Amino acid sequence: MDQAPLFRPYEFDDRQKAELDRDGYAVLPSLLTPQACERLTVSLAHIQELEVLPDLDPKPHFYSAEYDPYLASLIGHPQMLDLARRALGPIIRFDHCVNLSRPAGNHGAGWHSHPYADDR
């Protein structure tokens, strides 16, 4: 799939890593390229359009990558993997390709773990 750049040049230094560890998030302003922003907007609009189809299973807002090839391509994109490893360490596991764009009033799911979380 498409391996066009997702990110503009950025730094993720020890200070930002410490903020992530302390606060649970890090802000990387203007990280996405204009092209990535455009593609994401199109893909997420597509997912929102699918939400009106109640019989889809799994639900598009929970497993967006299953309904959009661009979103699926982001999971293994080299820049995404590099950022994930910088933030989380060398061993990572992506699980639940969840779209965090949900309708108003949806409380989503709280942080949780699964029995296989410690499996290699």
Side-chain angles (χ1 to χ4, degrees), residues 66-112:
E66 292 186 25
Y67 293 96
D68 187 274
Y70 181 67
L71 295 177
S73 77
L74 300 178
I75 298 163
H77 191 287
Q79 286 184 306
M80 186 67 74
L81 293 171
D82 179 62
L83 178 57
R85 288 184 177 114
R86 288 181 191 204
L88 304 172
I91 299 173
I92 58 173
R93 178 185 188 136
F94 281 132
D95 189 20
H96 293 51
C97 305
V98 177
N99 175 9
L100 297 179
S101 174
R102 296 190 177 141
N106 182 309
H107 299 287
W111 289 107
H112 62 282

Side-chain angles (χ1 to χ4, degrees), residues 90-93 116-120:
I91 299 173
I92 58 173
R93 178 185 188 136
Y116 55 79
D118 291 327
D119 291 352
R120 292 268 179 207

Side-chain angles (χ1 to χ4, degrees), residues 11 16 20 23 29 31 43 56 60 63 67 75 86 89 95 105-106 114 119:
E11 292 188 26
Q16 289 163 304
L20 173 64
D23 300 334
L31 176 66
S43 291
L56 288 179
Y63 299 101
Y67 293 96
I75 298 163
R86 288 181 191 204
D95 189 20
N106 182 309
H114 295 273
D119 291 352

Side-chain angles (χ1 to χ4, degrees), residues 14-66:
D14 291 340
R15 178 187 58 78
Q16 289 163 304
K17 172 69 169 123
E19 288 175 5
L20 173 64
D21 291 344
R22 182 190 69 231
D23 300 334
Y25 65 91
V27 178
L28 301 172
S30 302
L31 176 66
L32 295 173
T33 66
Q35 296 82 7
C37 284
E38 184 177 326
R39 302 266 325 259
L40 280 169
T41 300
V42 168
S43 291
L44 294 175
H46 169 70
I47 296 302
Q48 288 183 334
E49 289 170 3
L50 293 176
E51 282 303 304
V52 300
L53 304 173
D55 294 333
L56 288 179
D57 189 36
K59 297 294 182 199
H61 65 272
F62 285 112
Y63 299 101
S64 303
E66 292 186 25

